Amino acid sequence: MNSLAWLTLAPILTPLGFGLGLLWPWRRPVRVGLALTGALLTLAFALGLLFATADGTVLVGELGGWPAPFGIVMTADQLTAWVSVLGAVSALLAVWQAAADPDPVREKHHLLALMQFLFAGVQLSFLTGDLFNLFVAFEVMLVASYALAVLGSTREQLREGFRYIVMNLAASALLVVACGLSYGVLGTLNLAHLAQRSAELGPNTTVTAVGVLLLIVFAAKGALFPLGFWLPGTYPALPPAVGTFFAAVLTKVGVYALLRVFTTVFVQEAGVTNTLLLGLGTVTMLYGALGAASQREWRRILSFLVVSSVGYLAFGLGVGTVEAVRASVGYFAVSVLVTTALFSIATVAERASGSPLVRVRGMLDALPLLAGCFLLCALTVAGLPPSGGFVAKYALVRAGLAEGSPLALLAVASALLSSLITLYAMLNVWRGFFWGQHPSWLPVYRVPRPLRASAYAASALVAGLTLFAGPLFARADATAAELRDNARYIRGVLGDRPVMIPEPPTGGEVK
């Protein structure tokens, strides 16, 4: 075992431990300090994973000393470390936002503790090396998210929360069925061992059917059309800090699962799943962009943009080439950071205007720096130069054109059209909220400086995507190359010796 294997558990146990500590009735400054410390430590451990796996090392943490595939293992390669860092960054900004925007009622019911449990579930989803434990991770994450979705008990929260819970419970039930079928067909649930067994069987209709079932589950978790119908109504009903993290990261957990399973495990007969992903991505991009253009409230517009961004990620996965996967990995970072920034900006804008609507007009004079941050994020989410979003979308479009199939070309057309519609939606927000003369009878409310600072910090990270696009895509390139060679992941988890599965008991052993 690598001496740094403990790092695979650290980003999970840290928020879990701080979440338990936050259940104690501390005074608010202590609770806030603990929550921020927990998020900072989680980010530090995730960065440790990033450096430890930069040379292609696969870290494996064996729980109880039982080796894979027979025991529970946590694994970290370049992809895992990458998404773990992005999740931790978004978590830190969400805690910062919650700390700067006191909510006595929800905090009394353990808002900060539930957020830490949610972070632990997300990190467990990224780091687990086992399909069944991925289900467990989803449940840990979703139990916390269910509580956060209805915390406050407004009518809108209860209505949308019920839809969110029912949808995710159905997807979880389907995941259990998929786990059972995977074990029945391949005799294991460890991801590396599944990849090995799948390669031994070669193209196989039953294995492909299991893969399609998993695709449906993860598409529901990732909110791909038409399975993402719950998202645009649910996220606007959440408390602001919680909504920021939900929008930036929760759908990306489903996308990460798609990336892991369909670039590492089920790669023998990828045509069917890639075609499905490409088709779903094509429709999702357009659906999200049209939905954003049709809305007039900050969070509803941004929620549809979250749906559209998932479509772009599915587009890259569906094309399936190394260049396309590289573009998807790069776009993953762009999507997480720009979504975090836009939802943080929306929080400040709603507090300043006292309204969830974007039709306020003339807020440029009162919030000039926020307007600059919004413009930067609008360019990024629409994919215009010189933003990091342009680099990522350009790479996706180029990969689609290189693939050249009719469906890939249709996806390229959808991506370009969606970008134009997204730009239109963003310009509508700019014109409606920042531009023009502010009505004298409408007040401009004071927004706490720490709350504004959280939006500026998130926007600075989006600016960093432009300044450091080269290193960002070099990292994405290395990750895509590693995903292309799944033998390295299999060797890293299972070692070089063949796995000997014990024969099933026949009953004759009992005397």
Side-chain angles (χ1 to χ4, degrees), residues 147-306:
L148 287 167
V150 298
L151 194 61
S153 302
T154 65
R155 180 178 294 181
E156 185 184 11
Q157 270 188 295
L158 294 175
R159 184 182 66 244
E160 300 298 338
F162 178 75
R163 192 158 53 171
Y164 170 74
I165 291 169
V166 169
M167 182 65 200
N168 278 284
L169 283 177
S172 294
L174 205 56
L175 180 55
V176 173
V177 173
C179 287
L181 290 174
S182 299
Y183 192 81
V185 174
L186 297 166
T188 181
L189 288 175
N190 179 276
L191 293 175
H193 201 205
L194 277 171
Q196 191 180 60
R197 295 282 293 146
S198 174
E200 288 168 2
L201 285 178
N204 182 293
T205 306
T206 310
V207 174
T208 302
V210 173
V212 170
L213 191 58
L214 286 170
L215 187 150
I216 293 169
V217 173
F218 298 142
K221 301 285 187 186
L224 280 169
F225 182 86
L227 302 170
F229 63 88
W230 51 270
L231 192 152
T234 302
Y235 286 2
L238 295 167
V242 175
T244 299
F245 185 75
F246 268 54
V249 175
L250 283 206
T251 52
K252 305 304 184 299
V253 176
V255 174
Y256 164 75
L258 287 169
L259 257 172
R260 172 59 70 202
V261 168
F262 294 107
T263 58
T264 303
V265 180
F266 298 113
V267 295
Q268 302 305 314
E269 202 171 18
V272 176
T273 50
N274 281 0
T275 302
L276 279 172
L277 281 170
L278 200 50
L280 292 174
T282 302
V283 181
T284 304
M285 286 184 281
L286 208 51
Y287 165 72
L290 288 170
S294 69
Q295 299 298 312
R296 296 294 177 266
E297 291 183 13
W298 275 99
R299 291 177 187 278
R300 290 192 181 276
I301 294 169
L302 300 182
S303 296
F304 274 106
L305 291 182
V306 171

Side-chain angles (χ1 to χ4, degrees), residues 425-504:
M426 290 289 97
L427 289 177
N428 261 348
V429 175
W430 172 268
R431 192 179 57 186
F433 191 82
F434 292 106
W435 203 245
Q437 184 69 36
H438 185 70
S440 57
W441 53 272
L442 271 179
V444 178
Y445 298 97
R446 182 180 172 278
V447 181
R449 186 174 297 173
L451 188 58
R452 282 181 280 152
S454 69
Y456 301 152
S459 302
L461 292 175
V462 176
L465 291 171
T466 305
L467 298 175
F468 301 103
L472 168 72
F473 275 84
R475 178 77 194 188
D477 204 18
T479 304
E482 188 178 84
L483 291 172
R484 177 82 168 177
D485 177 22
N486 68 349
R488 180 185 292 182
Y489 179 83
I490 295 170
R491 277 198 309 275
V493 177
L494 300 178
D496 294 325
R497 291 179 299 177
V499 175
M500 301 298 291
I501 301 178
E503 291 294 327

